[in-house]
Amino acid sequence: MTQETGPAMEWLGLHFFTELPEGGQVLLTCSHNPVLVILAYLVACAGSFATLDMAERVRHVDLAAAQQRWRWIGAFCLAGGIWAMHFIGMLALQIPIETHYDLPMTLLSLLIAVIASWLAMKTLSHTQLQLWRYLLASIWIGLGICVMHYVGMAAMRSQATAYYQPDLFGLSIAIAISASLVALLLSRYLSNGSGMLHQMLKYAASLLLGGGIVAMHFTGMWALKLVMPVAGTPSIAVDDNPLQLGLTIAVIALLIIGSSISAALADKKLQHKEQDLRRVNTLLSQLDQARVALQQVAHYDALTNLINRRGFNHLFAEKLIEKTVQGGMLAVMFLDIDHFKRINDSLGHDAGDQLLKVIAGHIKSSTRSHEDVVARFGGDEFCILMSLSHRDEAQYMAQRIMNKMKEPIELAGRRMVMTTSIGISVFPDDGTTCEELLKHADLALYQSKGSGRNSLHFFSTNLKTRASLELQLEEELRNALRHEAGLTLYYQPIYDLGSRKVSKLEALVRWRHPLHGLLAPDRFIGIAEANGLIAELDNWVLRKACEDLAALSRHGFAELKIAVNCSALNLAREELAEEIANTLSSAGVAPQRLELEVTENALMGNIDSTVALLRQIRNLGVSLSIDDFGTGYSSLAYLKRLPLNTLKIDRSFIQDVPQSTQDKEIVQAIIVMAHTLHLQVVTEGVESLQQYEFLAQYGCDFIQGYLLSRALPLEELPGVIDEIEQRMLPAVAAVSPLTSVRDTGGSGSRDPAPDSPGRHAGASVVQPIR
C-alpha cells in the first residue's frame, strides 16, 4: 500500500476525506444501466407519492389509533421507496470486477431508512409547524437518508477500496436535506384540497421529490472512486443479471407502495361515506327538529301558545270518533271578545296582543286542564271543546269564563273590564260532524252578540232556519241589485207647516220578494250591511230617487225635495260625494232638491273624517239632516261641528204626546235647541191632530207620519199630495204657531214607522189616505 497523505476519515470502510493513493489504480470504466436508473427514479416517485398521500390521510382521520397506523404505513412506503431506489441504483452500477453485498449491512441500511421515514411522517402529522421546526426536521431526515445511502454503499464488497470526493459527498448531503425540506413544505401545502388540480399538484410534487432522492443517490455515486490494490489481480465480474434483480425489487416495492396507496384510497372513500352518513344523520336530526318546529307552528298559536284552528280540528275529529264509538256528549263553545277592536284602535295592536294573552290565561284557568281543549282561531275568537255528562256543564263553564272575564285587567296604564259573547253547540243533539257543530256554535255566538253581547246562547233549530233564510235572502238580494228586479221606492210626504204644503218626500226602499211579498227595509238592510251590499243598495236608492224626482218635476212638482238615507258604512267612503254629484248630473236634478239623511251613530263613528265628507256634500248644494235625534249620542259638542240643515226628532218622543208631560218637555227642548243652532226641525211619527197641534204651537217646521199618509209608490203621489194639502188646511187654520218657520232646506230619514195605523186610544186622528 502506498503512503496516504493529508487528513483521513474512514467510516465503515468508506474513505470520505482520504486522498487517493499514488500507486493505486483508479477504475475509470464504471457505468450505469439506463433502464435501472429510470426504474430507480420511478420507484422514488412512487414512494414520494405514497408519502404525500399517507401524510394527507394522517391529517384527515380523527382517531389516534388510525393516525398511528397510517403514520407507520407511510413510513414503510417512504423507506421502501428510498431503499428500493438505492438498491436498484446500486444494481445499475456496472464495474468490471466481482461485487457482492453484505446482508447485515444491507438490512441495517433498510432500518435506517425506516427510522428516517418515520421521523418524516411524524413531522408531517402536525397540521401546522413553525418554519424552523420544518428546517430542523429536514436536517435530521436528510442526514438519515444519507446515512442509509452510505451504509448501503458500505455493504458492497469487492477487491476495490471506495473513496469519496469531499465536495460531491457534501453536495449529496445538501441535496438530501433540501429534498426533505421541500417534501415537508409541499406536504403541508397539499394537506387540504380536492379535485383534479390538487391531484395534479400531488403528481408534480412526487416527480420533484423523486428527482431529489435520485439526485442525492447519484451525486453520492458520482463522488465514489474505486481503487484497486497495486499487487491485486482483479477478479472477473460475474453476470448475475442485475436487470432482472432490479426489476424484481422494483415490482415488489411498487406492489407494496401501490397496495398502501389503494388502502389509503379505500379508507378515504370509506371516511367520505362515513362523513356523508354523519351529514345525513345530522340533516335527518335537523329535519326532525324542523318537523317538530313546523308542527308547533302548524298546530299552535304563536301569541297565546294555545292550539290553533288546524290543531283544534285534528283533536276535534279524534274526540268525535271516540264519542261516536263509546257514546257520550261533547260541547263546542265559541267565544268572541266584545268590542275588542276598540282596544286595537285606541291603544294599538301591541296592547291588543297583551290583552289576548291575559284573556287566553283567563279562559285556560276556567277550564279543566286535562279534559278540555282551548284554542285560538284568530283575532279575538276562541273555541273550547269539552266532554259532557249533561248540557248544564257547558253552561256552568261558560258562566265561569264570563265571571273570570269581569276581573279588571291592567293594560297600558289603564284598568279595564272586558266581556265575552259565547255560543254553544252540543254533540250529538246539534250535529254529528265537526263542520256542523262548529257552524252551529257560530250561529249561537251571533245570537249572543245580537242580544246585546256579554251573554251565552245554545244553538237551536230556529237559528239554523233563520241563518238559512238570511243566506237565501242575501243571494236573492244580490240578484235583485244585479238585475234591478224587485226593488222599488216608496215615498212618504213631509208637510211644511210654514208654507202649508208638502215640500219633501222621504224615499223608502221596498223589496217585492217573489215568496215573502213586500219587504220593509228592516228585513234586508242588515243583510246588505253584513255582506258588503249596502253601498250598492244606497247608490241604487239615490239614483232611483233622482230619476223619480225628475219625473215628478215633469208633472208639475218642480219644488219638491227628496230625502234619501245614507248608511253608516256608506258614509265612510271617500268617493261618496263624487258619486252623489254624478247621480244628480245624470238625472238632471238640482243639488238643492236632494237631502241626505244620516243617523247620530253613523256621524260619531269617525267624527273628523265624517265632518270633512259632509262639508264636501254640502258644497255640492245638497242638504243634510240628522235622523233619529235623541236615540244615539245626542252630543251638542259634536252637533255644533256638523254642517247640518235639519234635525229630525225620533217618533219615540212624540208617540205619547200629549198625554206624557215629560215627552212634551223633551220635544219642546229639542225644538228650541235646534232653532238655536239654526237647524230646521222635522218630527216623524205624527199620527194624531193633537200631536200636530202641539208641534205647530211650539214651532216645529215639518211633520211626517200617518196623519198625512203612509209611504206610497210614485204613481200614487200626485193625487195624494193634492189631497193632503186640501185636507190639512182646516187643521192649519185652527193652530197659531208660537214661532216663525224658516226654510233652510231639509233632509231624509229611515222608514219612520211600520205600515200600521195610530195606536193611541182616544186620540183625535185625521184618517190617512189608504
Side-chain angles (χ1 to χ4, degrees), residues 45 94 135 152 178 219 339 348 357 362 380 440 461 544 677:
C45 292
Q94 297 176 341
L135 182 59
S178 300
T219 301
H339 305 297
K357 291 180 181 179
H362 285 350
D380 60 327
H440 293 166
T461 54
K544 179 63 175 173
L677 294 174

Side-chain angles (χ1 to χ4, degrees), residues 186-329:
L186 280 175
S187 178
R188 183 182 73 170
Y189 176 77
L190 296 172
S191 61
N192 293 309
S194 60
M196 183 60 68
L197 179 60
H198 174 76
Q199 201 68 15
M200 295 303 295
L201 288 175
K202 192 188 294 186
Y203 290 144
S206 302
L207 296 176
L208 179 62
L209 294 178
I213 295 171
V214 170
M216 176 269 155
H217 172 82
F218 284 103
T219 301
M221 296 298 293
W222 187 17
L224 174 66
K225 301 296 181 182
L226 293 175
V227 178
M228 287 289 295
V230 176
T233 301
S235 59
I236 304 302
V238 180
D239 188 5
D240 292 330
N241 199 353
L243 180 60
Q244 182 179 357
L245 181 59
L247 286 173
T248 302
I249 295 173
V251 169
I252 294 173
L254 291 175
L255 284 174
I256 295 173
I257 293 172
S259 299
S260 301
I261 294 174
S262 299
L265 182 61
D267 184 74
K268 183 178 181 180
K269 290 182 177 179
L270 181 61
Q271 185 181 14
H272 285 169
K273 288 183 178 180
E274 291 177 352
Q275 292 174 349
D276 292 341
L277 184 60
R278 284 196 294 269
R279 282 195 292 267
V280 169
N281 289 333
T282 302
L283 288 174
L284 289 176
S285 177
Q286 292 174 350
L287 285 174
D288 285 339
Q289 295 175 2
R291 180 181 57 79
V292 172
L294 286 175
Q295 189 175 13
Q296 179 75 15
V297 172
H299 292 90
Y300 285 84
D301 175 55
L303 180 65
T304 60
N305 287 327
L306 299 175
I307 63 172
N308 58 17
R309 185 186 294 269
R310 183 193 296 268
F312 180 87
N313 289 338
H314 180 72
L315 293 175
F316 192 6
E318 292 179 352
K319 288 276 189 180
L320 209 56
I321 294 173
E322 177 185 336
K323 293 299 180 182
T324 302
V325 174
Q326 300 178 0
M329 300 172 66

Side-chain angles (χ1 to χ4, degrees), residues 15 166 256 270 344 383 434 443 488 579 698 745:
H15 301 270
I256 295 173
L270 181 61
N344 281 337
C383 193
C434 299
L443 288 174
T488 185
E579 291 175 354
Y698 287 99

Side-chain angles (χ1 to χ4, degrees), residues 667-697:
V667 172
Q668 182 182 357
I670 293 174
I671 293 173
V672 173
M673 184 250 336
H675 288 167
T676 302
L677 294 174
H678 306 288
L679 300 176
Q680 289 187 321
V681 179
V682 177
T683 302
E684 61 182 4
V686 178
E687 299 178 353
S688 68
L689 184 59
Q690 289 87 342
Q691 292 171 343
Y692 164 74
E693 292 172 348
F694 166 76
L695 293 171
Q697 181 182 3

